[in-house]
Amino acid sequence: MYKDRSHAGKLLADKLRAYSESADCIVLALPRGGVPVGFELAQELKLPLDVFIVRKLGTPGQKELAMGAIASGGIRVLNRGIIDALAVNQASLEEVTRLELIELQRREFAYRGSNEPLELKDKTVILTDDGLATGASMRAAVRAVRSMQPRRIIVAVPVSSPGTCRELGREVDEMICAAQPQEFWGVGEWYDNFEQTSDEEVHRLLDRARALHNSAA
């Protein structure tokens, strides 16, 4: 369906033309794979681009089962149902949070350097990634961004499972899933090239987006 993430971002931009050159609109990409998509969105729509980093808090002994997540801006979202059901104590919760915070801060510095994150209050925020399977990271991002008091939250992705698109759509002001294949086995199958995006590419694209936006301002 898509040649690569850049191609997907360009096509996705066609569904967001109403926000082109909007003074109060920001594109936030979930790294790493969401950044090439977000870069093309930002360029096509002439909007600023930033990253929004989410780190899942895996339960002790079951790291793939999320008991919450932390995100850029010092936000922590907890799944109390999982925490209570598995009797995760506060000490274990804080230790997992501490370790994930170290990785989040490493990525913040690697991607953004000394540049401050963009202000989200009273803004229209377009959250994007290269696709949604379960949507767990995007759901955490939505809840974290919501706490920063934006005017509107839009989630826009090139491809998603229909169920995830429908469920996440209940939590945001606008949900755009460019493709919702009924037989969905994973995001990568909808790309010809789905090679992993490196930290270096994320940093390069953010720097380029910042320079292009500043020169156009």
PDB file of all heavy atoms in Angstrom, residues 126-163:
ATOM      1  N   ILE A 126      -1.983  17.280  16.206  1.00  0.00           N
ATOM      2  CA  ILE A 126      -2.127  16.118  15.331  1.00  0.00           C
ATOM      3  C   ILE A 126      -1.092  15.082  15.761  1.00  0.00           C
ATOM      4  O   ILE A 126       0.109  15.270  15.562  1.00  0.00           O
ATOM      5  CB  ILE A 126      -1.910  16.482  13.849  1.00  0.00           C
ATOM      6  CG1 ILE A 126      -2.921  17.540  13.394  1.00  0.00           C
ATOM      7  CG2 ILE A 126      -2.012  15.229  12.980  1.00  0.00           C
ATOM      8  CD1 ILE A 126      -2.662  18.065  11.994  1.00  0.00           C
ATOM      9  N   LEU A 127      -1.553  14.009  16.385  1.00  0.00           N
ATOM     10  CA  LEU A 127      -0.679  12.916  16.808  1.00  0.00           C
ATOM     11  C   LEU A 127      -0.605  11.888  15.690  1.00  0.00           C
ATOM     12  O   LEU A 127      -1.633  11.468  15.158  1.00  0.00           O
ATOM     13  CB  LEU A 127      -1.233  12.248  18.066  1.00  0.00           C
ATOM     14  CG  LEU A 127      -0.853  12.856  19.421  1.00  0.00           C
ATOM     15  CD1 LEU A 127      -1.768  12.308  20.506  1.00  0.00           C
ATOM     16  CD2 LEU A 127       0.600  12.570  19.761  1.00  0.00           C
ATOM     17  N   THR A 128       0.622  11.481  15.346  1.00  0.00           N
ATOM     18  CA  THR A 128       0.760  10.522  14.252  1.00  0.00           C
ATOM     19  C   THR A 128       1.795   9.453  14.553  1.00  0.00           C
ATOM     20  O   THR A 128       2.691   9.643  15.372  1.00  0.00           O
ATOM     21  CB  THR A 128       1.110  11.259  12.929  1.00  0.00           C
ATOM     22  OG1 THR A 128       0.956  10.353  11.836  1.00  0.00           O
ATOM     23  CG2 THR A 128       2.545  11.786  12.948  1.00  0.00           C
ATOM     24  N   ASP A 129       1.644   8.326  13.875  1.00  0.00           N
ATOM     25  CA  ASP A 129       2.594   7.218  13.927  1.00  0.00           C
ATOM     26  C   ASP A 129       2.526   6.528  12.566  1.00  0.00           C
ATOM     27  O   ASP A 129       1.720   6.909  11.714  1.00  0.00           O
ATOM     28  CB  ASP A 129       2.236   6.261  15.066  1.00  0.00           C
ATOM     29  CG  ASP A 129       3.423   5.424  15.541  1.00  0.00           C
ATOM     30  OD1 ASP A 129       4.473   5.446  14.861  1.00  0.00           O
ATOM     31  OD2 ASP A 129       3.294   4.747  16.572  1.00  0.00           O
ATOM     32  N   ASP A 130       3.359   5.506  12.362  1.00  0.00           N
ATOM     33  CA  ASP A 130       3.335   4.839  11.064  1.00  0.00           C
ATOM     34  C   ASP A 130       2.186   3.853  10.926  1.00  0.00           C
ATOM     35  O   ASP A 130       1.933   3.313   9.855  1.00  0.00           O
ATOM     36  CB  ASP A 130       4.675   4.153  10.761  1.00  0.00           C
ATOM     37  CG  ASP A 130       5.137   3.241  11.884  1.00  0.00           C
ATOM     38  OD1 ASP A 130       4.305   2.864  12.741  1.00  0.00           O
ATOM     39  OD2 ASP A 130       6.341   2.906  11.928  1.00  0.00           O
ATOM     40  N   GLY A 131       1.455   3.621  12.006  1.00  0.00           N
ATOM     41  CA  GLY A 131       0.298   2.743  11.976  1.00  0.00           C
ATOM     42  C   GLY A 131      -0.086   2.319  13.376  1.00  0.00           C
ATOM     43  O   GLY A 131       0.658   2.538  14.339  1.00  0.00           O
ATOM     44  N   LEU A 132      -1.267   1.716  13.505  1.00  0.00           N
ATOM     45  CA  LEU A 132      -1.759   1.273  14.805  1.00  0.00           C
ATOM     46  C   LEU A 132      -2.169  -0.190  14.739  1.00  0.00           C
ATOM     47  O   LEU A 132      -2.939  -0.579  13.858  1.00  0.00           O
ATOM     48  CB  LEU A 132      -2.974   2.105  15.239  1.00  0.00           C
ATOM     49  CG  LEU A 132      -2.783   3.620  15.388  1.00  0.00           C
ATOM     50  CD1 LEU A 132      -4.127   4.262  15.726  1.00  0.00           C
ATOM     51  CD2 LEU A 132      -1.749   3.936  16.452  1.00  0.00           C
ATOM     52  N   ALA A 133      -1.641  -0.970  15.653  1.00  0.00           N
ATOM     53  CA  ALA A 133      -2.075  -2.361  15.801  1.00  0.00           C
ATOM     54  C   ALA A 133      -2.998  -2.424  17.022  1.00  0.00           C
ATOM     55  O   ALA A 133      -4.199  -2.270  16.904  1.00  0.00           O
ATOM     56  CB  ALA A 133      -0.876  -3.277  15.954  1.00  0.00           C
ATOM     57  N   THR A 134      -2.436  -2.560  18.221  1.00  0.00           N
ATOM     58  CA  THR A 134      -3.271  -2.504  19.432  1.00  0.00           C
ATOM     59  C   THR A 134      -3.592  -1.066  19.824  1.00  0.00           C
ATOM     60  O   THR A 134      -4.589  -0.804  20.489  1.00  0.00           O
ATOM     61  CB  THR A 134      -2.560  -3.177  20.622  1.00  0.00           C
ATOM     62  OG1 THR A 134      -1.395  -2.413  20.979  1.00  0.00           O
ATOM     63  CG2 THR A 134      -2.145  -4.600  20.275  1.00  0.00           C
ATOM     64  N   GLY A 135      -2.716  -0.132  19.444  1.00  0.00           N
ATOM     65  CA  GLY A 135      -2.940   1.274  19.776  1.00  0.00           C
ATOM     66  C   GLY A 135      -2.553   1.664  21.192  1.00  0.00           C
ATOM     67  O   GLY A 135      -2.857   2.774  21.630  1.00  0.00           O
ATOM     68  N   ALA A 136      -1.853   0.773  21.924  1.00  0.00           N
ATOM     69  CA  ALA A 136      -1.550   1.047  23.331  1.00  0.00           C
ATOM     70  C   ALA A 136      -0.692   2.301  23.508  1.00  0.00           C
ATOM     71  O   ALA A 136      -0.979   3.144  24.367  1.00  0.00           O
ATOM     72  CB  ALA A 136      -0.848  -0.165  23.957  1.00  0.00           C
ATOM     73  N   SER A 137       0.363   2.434  22.699  1.00  0.00           N
ATOM     74  CA  SER A 137       1.235   3.600  22.838  1.00  0.00           C
ATOM     75  C   SER A 137       0.502   4.886  22.461  1.00  0.00           C
ATOM     76  O   SER A 137       0.640   5.914  23.123  1.00  0.00           O
ATOM     77  CB  SER A 137       2.484   3.444  21.971  1.00  0.00           C
ATOM     78  OG  SER A 137       3.287   2.392  22.441  1.00  0.00           O
ATOM     79  N   MET A 138      -0.294   4.841  21.404  1.00  0.00           N
ATOM     80  CA  MET A 138      -1.030   6.028  20.992  1.00  0.00           C
ATOM     81  C   MET A 138      -2.077   6.411  22.034  1.00  0.00           C
ATOM     82  O   MET A 138      -2.289   7.596  22.307  1.00  0.00           O
ATOM     83  CB  MET A 138      -1.694   5.793  19.632  1.00  0.00           C
ATOM     84  CG  MET A 138      -2.420   7.010  19.090  1.00  0.00           C
ATOM     85  SD  MET A 138      -1.306   8.435  18.772  1.00  0.00           S
ATOM     86  CE  MET A 138      -0.568   7.933  17.209  1.00  0.00           C
ATOM     87  N   ARG A 139      -2.712   5.418  22.622  1.00  0.00           N
ATOM     88  CA  ARG A 139      -3.708   5.708  23.658  1.00  0.00           C
ATOM     89  C   ARG A 139      -3.046   6.401  24.849  1.00  0.00           C
ATOM     90  O   ARG A 139      -3.592   7.367  25.398  1.00  0.00           O
ATOM     91  CB  ARG A 139      -4.381   4.407  24.102  1.00  0.00           C
ATOM     92  CG  ARG A 139      -5.569   4.613  25.014  1.00  0.00           C
ATOM     93  CD  ARG A 139      -6.338   3.317  25.223  1.00  0.00           C
ATOM     94  NE  ARG A 139      -7.109   2.947  24.038  1.00  0.00           N
ATOM     95  CZ  ARG A 139      -6.798   1.956  23.209  1.00  0.00           C
ATOM     96  NH1 ARG A 139      -5.715   1.231  23.426  1.00  0.00           N
ATOM     97  NH2 ARG A 139      -7.553   1.680  22.170  1.00  0.00           N
ATOM     98  N   ALA A 140      -1.861   5.945  25.229  1.00  0.00           N
ATOM     99  CA  ALA A 140      -1.129   6.593  26.316  1.00  0.00           C
ATOM    100  C   ALA A 140      -0.745   8.013  25.926  1.00  0.00           C
ATOM    101  O   ALA A 140      -0.825   8.943  26.738  1.00  0.00           O
ATOM    102  CB  ALA A 140       0.115   5.792  26.672  1.00  0.00           C
ATOM    103  N   ALA A 141      -0.331   8.196  24.677  1.00  0.00           N
ATOM    104  CA  ALA A 141       0.037   9.522  24.193  1.00  0.00           C
ATOM    105  C   ALA A 141      -1.157  10.468  24.233  1.00  0.00           C
ATOM    106  O   ALA A 141      -1.043  11.627  24.653  1.00  0.00           O
ATOM    107  CB  ALA A 141       0.597   9.435  22.779  1.00  0.00           C
ATOM    108  N   VAL A 142      -2.303   9.983  23.809  1.00  0.00           N
ATOM    109  CA  VAL A 142      -3.526  10.802  23.814  1.00  0.00           C
ATOM    110  C   VAL A 142      -3.852  11.268  25.224  1.00  0.00           C
ATOM    111  O   VAL A 142      -4.140  12.450  25.462  1.00  0.00           O
ATOM    112  CB  VAL A 142      -4.709  10.011  23.217  1.00  0.00           C
ATOM    113  CG1 VAL A 142      -6.041  10.699  23.514  1.00  0.00           C
ATOM    114  CG2 VAL A 142      -4.537   9.850  21.716  1.00  0.00           C
ATOM    115  N   ARG A 143      -3.801  10.355  26.164  1.00  0.00           N
ATOM    116  CA  ARG A 143      -4.146  10.702  27.543  1.00  0.00           C
ATOM    117  C   ARG A 143      -3.131  11.661  28.147  1.00  0.00           C
ATOM    118  O   ARG A 143      -3.477  12.564  28.905  1.00  0.00           O
ATOM    119  CB  ARG A 143      -4.275   9.429  28.377  1.00  0.00           C
ATOM    120  CG  ARG A 143      -5.469   8.590  27.938  1.00  0.00           C
ATOM    121  CD  ARG A 143      -5.541   7.240  28.616  1.00  0.00           C
ATOM    122  NE  ARG A 143      -6.671   6.470  28.091  1.00  0.00           N
ATOM    123  CZ  ARG A 143      -6.924   5.205  28.417  1.00  0.00           C
ATOM    124  NH1 ARG A 143      -6.125   4.562  29.264  1.00  0.00           N
ATOM    125  NH2 ARG A 143      -7.968   4.586  27.892  1.00  0.00           N
ATOM    126  N   ALA A 144      -1.869  11.468  27.783  1.00  0.00           N
ATOM    127  CA  ALA A 144      -0.834  12.380  28.278  1.00  0.00           C
ATOM    128  C   ALA A 144      -0.980  13.768  27.672  1.00  0.00           C
ATOM    129  O   ALA A 144      -0.894  14.784  28.371  1.00  0.00           O
ATOM    130  CB  ALA A 144       0.547  11.807  27.961  1.00  0.00           C
ATOM    131  N   VAL A 145      -1.219  13.827  26.361  1.00  0.00           N
ATOM    132  CA  VAL A 145      -1.400  15.126  25.700  1.00  0.00           C
ATOM    133  C   VAL A 145      -2.632  15.829  26.250  1.00  0.00           C
ATOM    134  O   VAL A 145      -2.633  17.047  26.452  1.00  0.00           O
ATOM    135  CB  VAL A 145      -1.507  14.939  24.169  1.00  0.00           C
ATOM    136  CG1 VAL A 145      -2.000  16.223  23.491  1.00  0.00           C
ATOM    137  CG2 VAL A 145      -0.155  14.544  23.596  1.00  0.00           C
ATOM    138  N   ARG A 146      -3.687  15.070  26.519  1.00  0.00           N
ATOM    139  CA  ARG A 146      -4.916  15.654  27.059  1.00  0.00           C
ATOM    140  C   ARG A 146      -4.655  16.429  28.344  1.00  0.00           C
ATOM    141  O   ARG A 146      -5.255  17.489  28.583  1.00  0.00           O
ATOM    142  CB  ARG A 146      -5.938  14.544  27.316  1.00  0.00           C
ATOM    143  CG  ARG A 146      -7.285  15.001  27.850  1.00  0.00           C
ATOM    144  CD  ARG A 146      -8.209  15.504  26.780  1.00  0.00           C
ATOM    145  NE  ARG A 146      -8.566  14.463  25.833  1.00  0.00           N
ATOM    146  CZ  ARG A 146      -9.122  14.709  24.656  1.00  0.00           C
ATOM    147  NH1 ARG A 146      -9.361  15.949  24.282  1.00  0.00           N
ATOM    148  NH2 ARG A 146      -9.441  13.719  23.832  1.00  0.00           N
ATOM    149  N   SER A 147      -3.738  15.929  29.165  1.00  0.00           N
ATOM    150  CA  SER A 147      -3.437  16.598  30.438  1.00  0.00           C
ATOM    151  C   SER A 147      -2.726  17.928  30.239  1.00  0.00           C
ATOM    152  O   SER A 147      -2.613  18.724  31.176  1.00  0.00           O
ATOM    153  CB  SER A 147      -2.586  15.672  31.317  1.00  0.00           C
ATOM    154  OG  SER A 147      -1.270  15.564  30.810  1.00  0.00           O
ATOM    155  N   MET A 148      -2.230  18.178  29.029  1.00  0.00           N
ATOM    156  CA  MET A 148      -1.533  19.427  28.728  1.00  0.00           C
ATOM    157  C   MET A 148      -2.465  20.499  28.158  1.00  0.00           C
ATOM    158  O   MET A 148      -2.023  21.536  27.689  1.00  0.00           O
ATOM    159  CB  MET A 148      -0.378  19.150  27.758  1.00  0.00           C
ATOM    160  CG  MET A 148       0.667  18.222  28.344  1.00  0.00           C
ATOM    161  SD  MET A 148       2.010  17.850  27.179  1.00  0.00           S
ATOM    162  CE  MET A 148       2.996  16.722  28.168  1.00  0.00           C
ATOM    163  N   GLN A 149      -3.752  20.207  28.185  1.00  0.00           N
ATOM    164  CA  GLN A 149      -4.805  21.169  27.850  1.00  0.00           C
ATOM    165  C   GLN A 149      -4.765  21.708  26.414  1.00  0.00           C
ATOM    166  O   GLN A 149      -4.846  22.920  26.192  1.00  0.00           O
ATOM    167  CB  GLN A 149      -4.780  22.342  28.845  1.00  0.00           C
ATOM    168  CG  GLN A 149      -4.964  21.899  30.293  1.00  0.00           C
ATOM    169  CD  GLN A 149      -4.878  23.061  31.257  1.00  0.00           C
ATOM    170  OE1 GLN A 149      -3.891  23.786  31.287  1.00  0.00           O
ATOM    171  NE2 GLN A 149      -5.918  23.245  32.038  1.00  0.00           N
ATOM    172  N   PRO A 150      -4.662  20.826  25.430  1.00  0.00           N
ATOM    173  CA  PRO A 150      -4.781  21.292  24.045  1.00  0.00           C
ATOM    174  C   PRO A 150      -6.230  21.651  23.743  1.00  0.00           C
ATOM    175  O   PRO A 150      -7.150  21.244  24.468  1.00  0.00           O
ATOM    176  CB  PRO A 150      -4.343  20.076  23.232  1.00  0.00           C
ATOM    177  CG  PRO A 150      -4.763  18.919  24.075  1.00  0.00           C
ATOM    178  CD  PRO A 150      -4.538  19.351  25.505  1.00  0.00           C
ATOM    179  N   ARG A 151      -6.436  22.393  22.671  1.00  0.00           N
ATOM    180  CA  ARG A 151      -7.805  22.704  22.257  1.00  0.00           C
ATOM    181  C   ARG A 151      -8.469  21.469  21.648  1.00  0.00           C
ATOM    182  O   ARG A 151      -9.603  21.146  21.959  1.00  0.00           O
ATOM    183  CB  ARG A 151      -7.807  23.845  21.244  1.00  0.00           C
ATOM    184  CG  ARG A 151      -9.222  24.216  20.756  1.00  0.00           C
ATOM    185  CD  ARG A 151      -9.213  25.371  19.768  1.00  0.00           C
ATOM    186  NE  ARG A 151      -8.845  26.602  20.439  1.00  0.00           N
ATOM    187  CZ  ARG A 151      -7.721  27.280  20.207  1.00  0.00           C
ATOM    188  NH1 ARG A 151      -6.856  26.841  19.306  1.00  0.00           N
ATOM    189  NH2 ARG A 151      -7.444  28.385  20.854  1.00  0.00           N
ATOM    190  N   ARG A 152      -7.734  20.783  20.759  1.00  0.00           N
ATOM    191  CA  ARG A 152      -8.257  19.590  20.104  1.00  0.00           C
ATOM    192  C   ARG A 152      -7.139  18.575  19.927  1.00  0.00           C
ATOM    193  O   ARG A 152      -5.984  18.961  19.789  1.00  0.00           O
ATOM    194  CB  ARG A 152      -8.844  19.912  18.717  1.00  0.00           C
ATOM    195  CG  ARG A 152     -10.000  20.858  18.712  1.00  0.00           C
ATOM    196  CD  ARG A 152     -10.566  21.031  17.300  1.00  0.00           C
ATOM    197  NE  ARG A 152     -11.379  19.886  16.911  1.00  0.00           N
ATOM    198  CZ  ARG A 152     -11.246  19.208  15.771  1.00  0.00           C
ATOM    199  NH1 ARG A 152     -10.308  19.550  14.897  1.00  0.00           N
ATOM    200  NH2 ARG A 152     -12.036  18.194  15.488  1.00  0.00           N
ATOM    201  N   ILE A 153      -7.490  17.300  19.923  1.00  0.00           N
ATOM    202  CA  ILE A 153      -6.535  16.229  19.627  1.00  0.00           C
ATOM    203  C   ILE A 153      -7.046  15.451  18.428  1.00  0.00           C
ATOM    204  O   ILE A 153      -8.185  14.962  18.415  1.00  0.00           O
ATOM    205  CB  ILE A 153      -6.339  15.276  20.816  1.00  0.00           C
ATOM    206  CG1 ILE A 153      -5.772  16.018  22.026  1.00  0.00           C
ATOM    207  CG2 ILE A 153      -5.413  14.127  20.423  1.00  0.00           C
ATOM    208  CD1 ILE A 153      -5.620  15.152  23.259  1.00  0.00           C
ATOM    209  N   ILE A 154      -6.186  15.353  17.426  1.00  0.00           N
ATOM    210  CA  ILE A 154      -6.482  14.574  16.226  1.00  0.00           C
ATOM    211  C   ILE A 154      -5.444  13.451  16.149  1.00  0.00           C
ATOM    212  O   ILE A 154      -4.251  13.704  16.293  1.00  0.00           O
ATOM    213  CB  ILE A 154      -6.376  15.439  14.960  1.00  0.00           C
ATOM    214  CG1 ILE A 154      -7.350  16.615  15.037  1.00  0.00           C
ATOM    215  CG2 ILE A 154      -6.611  14.611  13.701  1.00  0.00           C
ATOM    216  CD1 ILE A 154      -7.012  17.727  14.065  1.00  0.00           C
ATOM    217  N   VAL A 155      -5.882  12.237  15.947  1.00  0.00           N
ATOM    218  CA  VAL A 155      -4.956  11.133  15.672  1.00  0.00           C
ATOM    219  C   VAL A 155      -5.080  10.807  14.188  1.00  0.00           C
ATOM    220  O   VAL A 155      -6.191  10.590  13.684  1.00  0.00           O
ATOM    221  CB  VAL A 155      -5.264   9.892  16.530  1.00  0.00           C
ATOM    222  CG1 VAL A 155      -4.454   8.691  16.041  1.00  0.00           C
ATOM    223  CG2 VAL A 155      -4.941  10.169  17.993  1.00  0.00           C
ATOM    224  N   ALA A 156      -3.950  10.821  13.498  1.00  0.00           N
ATOM    225  CA  ALA A 156      -3.934  10.549  12.059  1.00  0.00           C
ATOM    226  C   ALA A 156      -2.837   9.540  11.750  1.00  0.00           C
ATOM    227  O   ALA A 156      -1.666   9.783  12.071  1.00  0.00           O
ATOM    228  CB  ALA A 156      -3.707  11.832  11.274  1.00  0.00           C
ATOM    229  N   VAL A 157      -3.204   8.421  11.156  1.00  0.00           N
ATOM    230  CA  VAL A 157      -2.231   7.367  10.822  1.00  0.00           C
ATOM    231  C   VAL A 157      -2.503   6.825   9.424  1.00  0.00           C
ATOM    232  O   VAL A 157      -3.639   6.846   8.942  1.00  0.00           O
ATOM    233  CB  VAL A 157      -2.264   6.213  11.843  1.00  0.00           C
ATOM    234  CG1 VAL A 157      -1.795   6.676  13.214  1.00  0.00           C
ATOM    235  CG2 VAL A 157      -3.664   5.606  11.936  1.00  0.00           C
ATOM    236  N   PRO A 158      -1.467   6.303   8.755  1.00  0.00           N
ATOM    237  CA  PRO A 158      -1.647   5.751   7.415  1.00  0.00           C
ATOM    238  C   PRO A 158      -2.460   4.457   7.383  1.00  0.00           C
ATOM    239  O   PRO A 158      -3.177   4.195   6.431  1.00  0.00           O
ATOM    240  CB  PRO A 158      -0.210   5.498   6.941  1.00  0.00           C
ATOM    241  CG  PRO A 158       0.644   6.364   7.802  1.00  0.00           C
ATOM    242  CD  PRO A 158      -0.047   6.393   9.122  1.00  0.00           C
ATOM    243  N   VAL A 159      -2.340   3.640   8.438  1.00  0.00           N
ATOM    244  CA  VAL A 159      -3.020   2.342   8.447  1.00  0.00           C
ATOM    245  C   VAL A 159      -3.296   1.922   9.885  1.00  0.00           C
ATOM    246  O   VAL A 159      -2.517   2.216  10.792  1.00  0.00           O
ATOM    247  CB  VAL A 159      -2.179   1.268   7.703  1.00  0.00           C
ATOM    248  CG1 VAL A 159      -0.833   1.041   8.398  1.00  0.00           C
ATOM    249  CG2 VAL A 159      -2.942  -0.041   7.561  1.00  0.00           C
ATOM    250  N   SER A 160      -4.422   1.255  10.083  1.00  0.00           N
ATOM    251  CA  SER A 160      -4.803   0.808  11.420  1.00  0.00           C
ATOM    252  C   SER A 160      -5.735  -0.380  11.307  1.00  0.00           C
ATOM    253  O   SER A 160      -6.462  -0.532  10.312  1.00  0.00           O
ATOM    254  CB  SER A 160      -5.504   1.946  12.180  1.00  0.00           C
ATOM    255  OG  SER A 160      -6.062   1.478  13.395  1.00  0.00           O
ATOM    256  N   SER A 161      -5.746  -1.202  12.342  1.00  0.00           N
ATOM    257  CA  SER A 161      -6.786  -2.228  12.407  1.00  0.00           C
ATOM    258  C   SER A 161      -8.118  -1.504  12.628  1.00  0.00           C
ATOM    259  O   SER A 161      -8.170  -0.488  13.334  1.00  0.00           O
ATOM    260  CB  SER A 161      -6.514  -3.200  13.563  1.00  0.00           C
ATOM    261  OG  SER A 161      -6.696  -2.558  14.807  1.00  0.00           O
ATOM    262  N   PRO A 162      -9.201  -1.987  12.037  1.00  0.00           N
ATOM    263  CA  PRO A 162     -10.488  -1.301  12.172  1.00  0.00           C
ATOM    264  C   PRO A 162     -10.937  -1.132  13.619  1.00  0.00           C
ATOM    265  O   PRO A 162     -11.439  -0.078  14.007  1.00  0.00           O
ATOM    266  CB  PRO A 162     -11.450  -2.200  11.381  1.00  0.00           C
ATOM    267  CG  PRO A 162     -10.591  -2.905  10.403  1.00  0.00           C
ATOM    268  CD  PRO A 162      -9.289  -3.140  11.104  1.00  0.00           C
ATOM    269  N   GLY A 163     -10.735  -2.175  14.431  1.00  0.00           N
ATOM    270  CA  GLY A 163     -11.164  -2.102  15.822  1.00  0.00           C
ATOM    271  C   GLY A 163     -10.433  -1.035  16.609  1.00  0.00           C
ATOM    272  O   GLY A 163     -11.040  -0.277  17.378  1.00  0.00           O
TER     273      GLY A 163
END
